[in-house]
Amino acid sequence: MRRSILSLVLASAIVTPLGCVGDPEHEDFQLWLEEMEWPIVGGQTTSGWDSVVMLGLDESICTATVVSPDVILTAAHCLEGQWGSLDIYWCNDCWGQGYWAHRSSNDYHQHPHYNPANMAGDLGVVLLNSNSPSEPVALNRDAAGNTWLGNSHPLTSIGFGVTAGHLSNSGTKREVTVAATSWDGTFLYSEDPSHGICFGDSGGPAMTSHDGGWKVAGVHSWVSGNCNDIGASIRVDTYQSWIDDYTGEWTPDDDDDTGPGDDDTGPGDDDT
């Protein structure tokens, strides 16, 4: 079975800020977005999920999630070959409307057992230069099982995959609901040709609300076919101790339920 990682390759202009529509420094980026045809499959745009952010890399973009006040969680393959400073953007329509907050990082790590041959350990952490402007999301610590996966408790995947031909739909945060059809010790799998993750969604969260609060159950890792077959997200509970080494086992306040409807911080806040 052929596996494709989900990051999107861009022109090098991605490392420049995306905040101003019409900025001539972004002309290559705009052209690239208009030519792509890789959105989250069967999803919809969302202005929620403030703690799901876009990660600007040397020659690509990925998605990431704030999981403690100064740590974001993404896929290890997103950090492959990276050096120097990374840019992290809080945005919804990142190109059309720009970003409402920005952080950078020179401190990021792939899981030590990341294996690009089979994508095991495909997790990475990025330590922010200052605390996130949005509330972190809790991590699921329950083992995968029939009691909270499958059609009865579908996952919600969020990412910045781009749409074709229409700039207003490009680089936009999208969400899609999918059922985990199977799982093993490393991955949660979904098989739905009309709904799922695709290129650009790498590192984004597969969220569960099985216990009443939204938590990150998996991190988008790879797909087979042309985003119309199997999508795989790596289980965070399997790698919990490694993540805890960076987050300090952070847990949210009892009344914190960061999810799709939260809008405590968002476009219009002057936090740059």
Side-chain angles (χ1 to χ4, degrees):
M1 177 176 59
R2 181 177 180 272
R3 298 178 178 182
S4 302
I5 59 176
L6 299 174
S7 56
L8 278 176
V9 177
L10 292 88
S12 59
I14 185 61
V15 298
T16 60
L18 308 182
C20 299
V21 176
D23 187 331
E25 292 184 9
H26 302 308
E27 289 179 357
D28 290 342
F29 180 65
Q30 177 175 343
L31 177 61
W32 177 86
L33 286 175
E34 291 174 338
E35 292 175 348
M36 300 308 294
E37 299 181 354
W38 299 332
I40 255 187
V41 178
Q44 59 186 3
T45 60
T46 176
S47 59
W49 307 105
D50 286 346
S51 291
V52 179
V53 298
M54 190 174 80
L55 183 60
L57 307 169
D58 289 342
E59 296 182 350
S60 64
I61 63 168
C62 276
T63 304
T65 308
V66 180
V67 293
S68 81
D70 63 349
V71 176
I72 63 172
L73 184 66
T74 189
H77 72 260
C78 292
L79 304 177
E80 192 77 21
Q82 297 299 310
W83 62 276
S85 181
L86 303 182
D87 291 297
I88 301 94
Y89 301 99
W90 278 254
C91 50
N92 294 319
D93 177 1
C94 303
W95 177 247
Q97 298 177 356
Y99 57 85
W100 53 271
H102 168 264
R103 297 291 185 269
S104 61
S105 174
N106 291 90
D107 191 0
Y108 40 90
H109 308 270
Q110 295 173 302
H111 192 279
H113 297 151
Y114 168 54
N115 183 350
N118 60 15
M119 304 306 288
D122 190 17
L123 286 172
V125 292
V126 178
L127 281 63
L128 303 175
N129 64 342
S130 60
N131 280 2
S132 165
S134 56
E135 289 293 325
V137 182
L139 299 174
N140 169 66
R141 296 173 182 268
D142 297 335
N146 293 320
T147 58
W148 64 271
L149 290 173
N151 289 322
S152 60
H153 292 94
L155 302 171
T156 296
S157 286
I158 306 100
F160 285 94
V162 298
T163 57
H166 303 288
L167 186 61
S168 61
N169 289 332
S170 299
T172 299
K173 186 187 298 179
R174 293 175 177 268
E175 63 181 357
V176 65
T177 300
V178 293
T181 52
S182 61
W183 48 89
D184 57 27
T186 304
F187 295 104
L188 304 171
Y189 303 97
S190 61
E191 297 182 60
D192 185 336
S194 58
H195 299 84
I197 54 178
C198 199
F199 308 111
D201 299 325
S202 273
M207 296 281 200
T208 177
S209 61
H210 75 275
D211 63 355
W214 288 104
K215 296 180 180 180
V216 181
V219 171
H220 305 153
S221 179
W222 57 268
V223 294
S224 64
N226 190 28
C227 304
N228 59 1
D229 191 5
I230 298 173
S233 296
I234 194 160
R235 289 173 49 180
V236 298
D237 63 291
T238 299
Y239 298 91
Q240 189 69 62
S241 62
W242 179 77
I243 301 171
D244 286 344
D245 287 343
Y246 294 95
T247 63
E249 300 186 44
W250 181 90
T251 55
D253 295 334
D254 291 340
D255 60 352
D256 178 30
D257 184 20
T258 304
D262 288 358
D263 196 21
D264 295 335
T265 14
D269 288 349
D270 186 14
D271 187 354
T272 57

